[in-house]
Amino acid sequence: MWAIFLKKVETTMNEPKLYKWKQNGITVAGGNGRGQKLHRLNRPEGIFIDKNKNIFVADYENHRIVKWKHNAKEGKIIAGGNKKGRRIDQLYGPTDVIVDEQNHSIIVADRGNRRIKLTNRTNLMSGSEYENIIKQSTRPRTGFEKQTFFFSSKFFFHHILEPKLNKWKQNANTIAGGNEHGQQLNQLNGPTGIFIDKNKNIFIADYANHRIVEWEYNAKEGKIIAGENKEGNQIDQLYGPTDVIVDEQNHSIIVADRGNRRVIQWLNQNQQILIQNITCYALATDKHGFLYVSDWWKNEVRRWKMGEYDNEGIVVAGGNGYGDQLNQLRCPTYIFVDEEQSVYVSDQNNHRVMKWRKDAEEGRIVAGGNGTGTNLNQLYSPEGVIVDDLGQIYVADRENHRIMRWYEGKEEGEVVVGGNDKGNEPNQLNYPRGLSFDDEENLYVSDDYNHRIQKFQIIL
């Protein structure tokens, strides 16, 4: 009996039944061109099939997880789908998904956000509560790879924790100015704050020309849209504007008219002073309809509800005098407000960038703060500041003639463009000030002493 049993096992092992499949596949999800509609996908990656033949798809470029029921004509979003981002209800380039059918939960490899996310599927269908299982780690935890219910190999873990970071071509294209300083429409004179609209038109605070200039995409010269009457304090004049933002809904612009100590709105050549007696340096808005203004003289940032300016506003950063404590600022310049209404402030004379969370009583140093110098843990008179969807902080390191990238919690940053001494070559900057991204994540820099706006093209 024993010998016969061995023979049967050997035969079974040596001659297994091999499966074959029909060579023409059937599309069960997507296949209707790339797009965001529920019957479309955009670069699907990892998939999971449950016992009912429902398909769960990591819809990478749509930043969502979609469930396609068996024989369905379209899918249903069960995670993400709120544009790419790092909020708890957002995903950024998910690459895989698995389903725990016992607990009715899904686990997502949220690659762009460098985290693994767990969510209850029942909750997701009505609005979702997420739990970050792993967040912002830089190395695997001891024994973590052995927990195979999360992933199958160290290779997968490595790719979750090390997303591809954006890089830019080091030689920029000049897209505005660059014809020495002057007042002609193809010239700028000390450009400061910039704003890029959805059509890639550039709005520039042309500081020493006391005007706001719009350069349409690929234009050879600009068009004056505010302050064409020389410097002055009349309602139709500007005096050393340092920043500009555009309200694309009502086609108005809001200007930090610093020399006149006022914030002023221009709408179809009609002007309205919004805020007076403020040494305004920079402006920002959030999705909740608030306007933020940095006050260089009072060492603070204040917030107003847009359209309601008959009050003193609310201090959201600083406001405790000139100093270097965590609740103080020293000559704040440019600001950025994220999705959670945290305010990032370039704290110029403290050579650092501060992050003030909503309703916080003090800030946190997220870049610099180690005195002046050229080391990677230092800044020297920072100005422009922007934050991307991954929480990476970009800073115009003015006196070091470079643009730095920092990640909150890291001890030092990295140079992304510039840093080749000051100069006017395509790979050089000369006291950079304003920063902005367009919707393709190309990087724009107002190159102050070169009187030009530089565009650094993203490397795809």
Side-chain angles (χ1 to χ4, degrees):
M1 289 289 294
W2 183 74
I4 294 172
F5 175 75
L6 264 183
K7 187 174 182 180
K8 287 180 71 176
V9 170
E10 182 178 357
T11 301
T12 303
M13 293 295 291
N14 290 338
E15 296 182 8
K17 179 182 178 180
L18 300 179
Y19 290 104
K20 294 183 178 180
W21 293 269
K22 293 180 179 180
Q23 296 301 294
N24 293 326
I26 299 171
T27 301
V28 294
N32 300 297
R34 62 188 297 179
Q36 298 179 354
K37 300 292 186 182
L38 291 178
H39 68 297
R40 292 178 173 175
L41 298 170
N42 195 348
R43 290 187 59 197
E45 296 222 357
I47 57 175
F48 184 95
I49 316 296
D50 71 9
K51 61 184 179 183
N52 297 316
K53 297 187 177 66
N54 301 318
I55 306 170
F56 297 78
V57 186
D59 193 4
Y60 179 80
E61 289 284 358
N62 282 329
H63 314 289
R64 65 190 184 186
I65 304 300
V66 185
K67 176 184 176 182
W68 289 63
K69 289 186 177 181
H70 184 52
N71 288 332
K73 299 299 183 182
E74 63 179 31
K76 179 178 181 179
I77 300 170
I78 60 170
N82 303 305
K83 299 183 179 180
K84 69 179 179 183
R86 60 190 180 89
R87 293 200 319 262
I88 198 69
D89 63 340
Q90 292 178 307
L91 298 172
Y92 188 10
T95 49
D96 206 6
V97 57
I98 56 177
V99 178
D100 183 342
E101 297 186 61
Q102 286 186 332
N103 296 323
H104 304 290
S105 65
I106 65 171
I107 301 169
V108 181
D110 188 12
R111 178 182 176 187
N113 282 322
R114 306 175 68 216
R115 61 191 179 191
I116 308 298
K117 300 187 80 169
L118 168 71
T119 188
N120 182 282
R121 279 170 54 195
T122 304
N123 287 344
L124 267 174
M125 294 177 185
S126 61
S128 104
E129 286 255 332
Y130 287 89
E131 176 188 351
N132 287 340
I133 300 178
I134 309 168
K135 181 180 178 183
Q136 307 302 351
S137 178
T138 56
R139 64 184 68 183
R141 297 177 182 176
T142 303
F144 189 80
E145 298 82 2
K146 296 179 182 178
Q147 301 181 28
T148 54
F149 53 85
F150 283 134
F151 17 66
S152 60
S153 69
K154 293 182 182 179
F155 177 81
F156 181 74
F157 182 81
H158 172 76
H159 279 259
I160 293 301
L161 295 182
E162 299 295 337
K164 180 181 178 181
L165 298 179
N166 288 341
K167 294 183 179 181
W168 292 267
K169 293 180 179 179
Q170 295 300 295
N171 289 328
N173 295 319
T174 300
I175 54 172
N179 300 299
E180 299 184 346
H181 70 279
Q183 298 180 355
Q184 301 301 315
L185 291 179
N186 69 340
Q187 295 178 307
L188 299 170
N189 194 352
T192 50
I194 53 177
F195 183 96
I196 315 295
D197 73 9
K198 61 185 178 182
N199 297 316
K200 296 186 178 64
N201 301 319
I202 307 169
F203 297 79
I204 306 165
D206 193 4
Y207 178 79
N209 281 329
H210 314 288
R211 65 189 185 185
I212 305 298
V213 184
E214 176 186 1
W215 286 62
E216 294 184 353
Y217 184 58
N218 285 335
K220 299 299 183 182
E221 62 180 30
K223 176 176 63 175
I224 301 172
I225 58 173
E228 57 185 344
N229 300 304
K230 298 183 179 181
E231 75 270 21
N233 61 6
Q234 299 301 308
I235 192 69
D236 61 349
Q237 294 178 307
L238 298 173
Y239 187 18
T242 48
D243 205 8
V244 58
I245 56 176
V246 178
D247 185 339
E248 297 186 60
Q249 288 187 331
N250 64 13
H251 306 289
S252 69
I253 64 171
I254 301 175
V255 181
D257 188 11
R258 179 183 170 192
N260 284 320
R261 303 185 66 245
R262 65 190 182 188
V263 178
I264 188 168
Q265 182 180 48
W266 291 60
L267 175 60
N268 297 325
Q269 295 304 313
N270 295 314
Q271 301 84 31
Q272 178 185 2
I273 297 173
L274 304 181
I275 306 167
Q276 299 188 74
N277 301 318
I278 181 170
T279 311
C280 48
Y281 202 103
L283 309 169
T285 58
D286 67 21
K287 65 179 182 180
H288 301 288
F290 288 98
L291 174 68
Y292 299 74
V293 186
S294 63
D295 189 327
W296 189 83
W297 182 253
K298 289 186 177 180
N299 303 293
E300 64 185 19
V301 179
R302 287 183 179 261
R303 184 185 74 189
W304 283 264
K305 183 68 175 178
M306 295 184 74
E308 301 175 10
Y309 302 107
D310 56 346
N311 58 79
E312 295 183 350
I314 299 172
V315 175
V316 294
N320 297 297
Y322 181 90
D324 61 2
Q325 300 302 305
L326 293 179
N327 68 342
Q328 295 179 305
L329 299 169
R330 294 173 66 186
C331 301
T333 57
Y334 289 92
I335 55 178
F336 180 90
V337 182
D338 69 13
E339 293 283 342
E340 286 80 36
Q341 293 182 294
S342 294
V343 181
Y344 296 78
V345 187
S346 276
D347 190 7
Q348 187 176 57
N349 286 0
N350 280 324
H351 312 289
R352 65 190 185 185
V353 175
M354 301 293 291
K355 178 182 179 180
W356 289 65
R357 295 189 182 275
K358 184 181 178 182
D359 300 324
E361 294 184 357
E362 64 179 28
R364 176 182 177 184
I365 300 171
V366 292
N370 298 298
T372 62
T374 61
N375 294 325
L376 293 179
N377 69 340
Q378 294 178 307
L379 297 171
Y380 192 177
S381 296
E383 296 230 5
V385 59
I386 49 177
V387 182
D388 68 12
D389 291 326
L390 287 176
Q392 310 270 1
I393 304 158
Y394 297 80
V395 188
D397 191 6
R398 179 172 169 79
E399 300 280 346
N400 284 325
H401 316 289
R402 64 189 184 186
I403 308 302
M404 299 282 289
R405 174 168 60 197
W406 293 66
Y407 198 87
E408 184 176 347
K410 291 291 186 72
E411 294 183 358
E412 62 180 32
E414 61 178 322
V415 179
V416 292
V417 296
N420 302 304
D421 295 326
K422 66 179 179 181
N424 60 7
E425 297 299 320
N427 69 338
Q428 292 180 308
L429 298 169
N430 196 351
Y431 298 99
R433 298 187 77 172
L435 293 180
S436 188
F437 286 124
D438 64 20
D439 58 3
E440 295 177 349
E441 297 184 310
N442 298 305
L443 177 62
Y444 296 75
V445 182
S446 62
D447 194 7
D448 187 1
Y449 282 21
N450 282 325
H451 314 290
R452 64 188 183 183
I453 307 299
Q454 297 291 86
K455 176 182 176 181
F456 292 88
Q457 188 173 348
I458 191 170
I459 299 173
L460 299 176

